[in-house]
Amino acid sequence: MRNFRERYGRYALFVLIFGLGATIFIELTPFLGGLMGAATLYVLLRGQMVFLTERRRWRPSAAAALLLVEAVLCFLVPLTLVGWMLVAHVQHLAADPQQLLHAVKNLSALLYERTGYDLWQERNVASFIAMLPRAGQYVLGGIVDFAVNIVVLLLVLYFMLTGGRAMEAYVRDLVPFDGGQRDDVIHEMHQIVRSNAIGIPLLAVVQGGVALVGYLIFGVPDPLFWGVLTCFATVIPIVGTALLWLPLAAYLALEGHWAAAVGLAAYGTLVVTHVDNLTRLVLQRRMADIHPLVTVFGVFVGLALFGFMGIIFGPLMLSLFLFCLHIFKRRYIDGRPDESADPAPTARH
């Protein structure tokens, strides 16, 4: 009877935790970007927090306030400025659709002249006009969500910084592994978060800057705008920056600037793409050496589940899955439960 009551209590507690956790997760879905952003910034700022509180003897609240200012100035202000620039362009087009329609009409005339395909059909024009209000509503909703998640990020980050040691000890106790394996899991999580949180933006800035040089050289209209979009295109798996410079080269060709079109296409293929490979190689030597397939499929999964922050937490989730699979193989198939798990070979080159 006692064993039955113990099993009943254990299973009932498990069901209660799972049910409440699933409900809370579903209700907090609109704020996942802010929560995950706070976790990412905590990993990046953790070392500075330890230095200020343990080496310099600062009060945790004062150190956390200083690091919040650093996060705002170094991370949130640049991201907000870039976001406002993109929003301003979209709002300008939505406020003056005739200008956009005129540009599309000229492009369709060029396309008809070169290829014989009439893009300026009544059905296409009606679909395009109907899409503009939805695009404006989407942008407005994105601005509101971004502002709310920024507030959530700063609030959660402050409490994570002030209570970081206790939080880490609690999470360490919850990790369902032995001592050595627990350390490996936590180290793997820190490495992947740091690699993606630093490496992906750095790679985006480098590729966007190199692409911007090409846009200036070959006379692409509004090169700064397209350069910023190229930065964001780096996170798109497989196609990447080609999603921008290839259509721009095609546009230059339709405009009759064949030399500039060929030059931009060659520049994108030979320079922008190889800068991507070289930068990734350098970053992999200095940070977590994550296999490219883990990054590609992790980004696919992460974007679908978590939105923009999925470019960081998608590869993290996939890497942890492979890591747990590797531990299962060592413990229950190879019969080596006492050995500390090595990093999963499938997550490495």
Side-chain angles (χ1 to χ4, degrees):
M1 185 67 180
R2 182 178 179 181
N3 291 335
F4 171 77
R5 290 182 63 86
E6 289 180 355
R7 288 197 302 269
Y8 172 77
R10 183 187 310 145
Y11 295 145
L13 184 60
F14 173 77
V15 171
L16 184 63
I17 292 173
F18 180 80
L20 291 176
T23 303
I24 293 172
F25 177 82
I26 293 172
E27 294 301 322
L28 289 179
T29 300
F31 312 110
L32 279 181
L35 296 173
M36 293 183 173
T40 303
L41 290 179
Y42 173 78
V43 172
L44 297 180
L45 299 174
R46 176 183 177 275
Q48 298 180 50
M49 186 68 182
V50 171
F51 175 80
L52 291 175
T53 55
E54 297 184 6
R55 298 277 300 273
R56 296 296 183 182
R57 303 298 180 182
W58 283 36
R59 294 177 58 185
S61 58
L66 177 63
L67 294 180
L68 281 183
V69 174
E70 177 185 343
V72 169
L73 295 179
C74 296
F75 299 102
L76 301 182
V77 168
L79 185 62
T80 303
L81 292 177
V82 170
W84 275 115
M85 188 190 74
L86 298 178
V87 167
H89 276 76
V90 174
Q91 286 182 330
H92 178 70
L93 293 176
D96 188 12
Q98 292 300 324
Q99 179 183 358
L100 182 59
L101 290 174
H102 181 70
V104 173
K105 185 175 182 180
N106 291 339
L107 180 61
S108 65
L110 287 172
L111 184 64
Y112 181 77
E113 180 182 347
R114 306 292 181 184
T115 64
Y117 175 73
D118 186 12
L119 182 66
W120 195 256
Q121 301 176 12
E122 182 177 353
R123 181 180 59 184
N124 295 341
V125 174
S127 301
F128 182 74
I129 295 176
M131 182 185 67
L132 291 179
R134 292 197 298 269
Q137 293 175 357
Y138 178 80
V139 170
L140 181 60
I143 294 174
V144 175
D145 290 341
F146 179 77
V148 171
N149 276 280
I150 288 296
V151 175
V152 172
L153 184 152
L154 294 176
L155 181 65
V156 173
L157 179 60
Y158 175 80
F159 287 105
M160 291 182 74
L161 289 171
T162 54
R165 286 299 193 184
M167 178 190 66
E168 289 181 15
Y170 189 79
V171 172
R172 183 182 294 271
D173 291 337
L174 288 178
V175 174
F177 300 111
D178 296 333
Q181 293 174 346
R182 183 186 299 123
D183 293 338
D184 286 337
V185 169
I186 294 175
H187 177 73
E188 188 83 358
M189 292 175 64
H190 277 259
Q191 286 292 95
I192 295 172
V193 171
R194 287 182 60 87
S195 176
N196 288 330
I198 297 175
I200 290 177
L202 183 59
L203 178 63
V205 171
V206 170
Q207 272 200 286
V210 173
L212 175 61
V213 173
Y215 298 156
L216 291 171
I217 292 175
F218 298 105
V220 173
D222 204 354
L224 181 60
F225 174 71
W226 295 112
V228 171
L229 285 185
T230 304
C231 291
F232 285 97
T234 58
V235 305
I236 300 176
I238 302 175
V239 292
T241 57
L243 191 65
L244 270 299
W245 55 258
L246 198 57
L248 289 174
Y251 171 78
L252 292 175
L254 289 173
E255 286 281 349
H257 307 302
W258 289 100
V262 173
L264 181 58
Y267 182 85
T269 304
L270 299 177
V271 178
V272 178
T273 303
H274 284 82
V275 165
D276 175 33
N277 296 331
L278 179 62
T279 308
R280 288 182 190 275
L281 179 63
V282 172
L283 292 176
Q284 285 170 348
R285 289 176 181 266
R286 296 183 175 272
M287 299 181 185
D289 190 12
I290 305 171
H291 195 281
L293 288 180
V294 174
T295 302
V296 169
F297 288 105
V299 168
F300 273 127
V301 173
L303 289 176
L305 289 176
F306 309 121
F308 182 73
M309 291 305 298
I311 65 177
I312 295 174
F313 288 93
L316 171 63
M317 185 171 65
L318 186 54
S319 297
L320 287 180
F321 169 76
L322 295 174
F323 187 81
C324 293
L325 191 64
H326 182 61
I327 292 177
F328 178 85
K329 176 179 178 297
R330 292 178 63 91
R331 179 183 286 267
Y332 299 109
I333 297 179
D334 298 342
R336 292 179 286 177
D338 296 328
E339 298 183 25
S340 177
D342 299 325
T346 50
R348 304 282 178 179
H349 277 299

